[in-house]
Amino acid sequence: MLDIKFIREHKKELKAAIENKGMSLNLDELLSTDKQRSTLIQEIDELREQKNKLNDEINRAKSDGDRKTSITKGKAIKDKLSELEPKLGEV
């Protein structure tokens, strides 16, 4: 089995090897799926980081208004995470 990083770096050589061996593998589709996966992971990581920062803000908030604003933002991030995480499992 080949590492995805190796596949990304040696795309042309692998296409030729696949063709020479008479295999049917769509390398472009594989790389496209990998790119989608990487993008989703990056988005999820960024949202988790934002969520953690908001949790800190909620704990440090001095007024109920500030706390409610942060909680509202946190819920929006949580909803977005709930939407993206299942997509990552599908990819």
Side-chain angles (χ1 to χ4, degrees), residues 24 49 75-76 79 83 87:
S24 64
E49 182 180 345
K75 285 181 181 179
D79 291 342
E83 178 185 320
K87 287 183 182 178

Side-chain angles (χ1 to χ4, degrees), residues 43-72:
E43 285 181 52
I44 289 171
D45 287 345
E46 288 172 3
L47 286 170
R48 287 179 179 159
E49 182 180 345
Q50 290 175 13
K51 184 179 173 191
N52 290 337
K53 287 180 182 177
L54 279 173
N55 286 337
D56 291 341
E57 285 180 24
I58 291 169
N59 292 331
R60 287 183 277 137
K62 299 193 189 244
S63 70
D64 285 339
D66 292 341
R67 186 172 285 123
K68 287 181 182 179
T69 302
S70 295
I71 289 172
T72 303

Side-chain angles (χ1 to χ4, degrees), residues 4 16 27-28 38:
I4 192 69
L27 197 57
D28 292 325
S38 297

Side-chain angles (χ1 to χ4, degrees), residues 11-49:
K11 180 180 173 181
K12 289 181 182 179
E13 295 91 344
L14 288 172
K15 275 189 173 186
I18 290 168
E19 189 175 306
N20 289 340
K21 293 183 180 191
M23 298 172 62
S24 64
L25 173 69
N26 188 340
L27 197 57
D28 292 325
E29 184 178 336
L30 173 70
L31 293 172
S32 173
T33 302
D34 176 59
K35 185 170 179 88
Q36 288 175 341
R37 181 180 173 276
S38 297
T39 302
L40 279 172
I41 289 172
Q42 185 177 7
E43 285 181 52
I44 289 171
D45 287 345
E46 288 172 3
L47 286 170
R48 287 179 179 159
E49 182 180 345

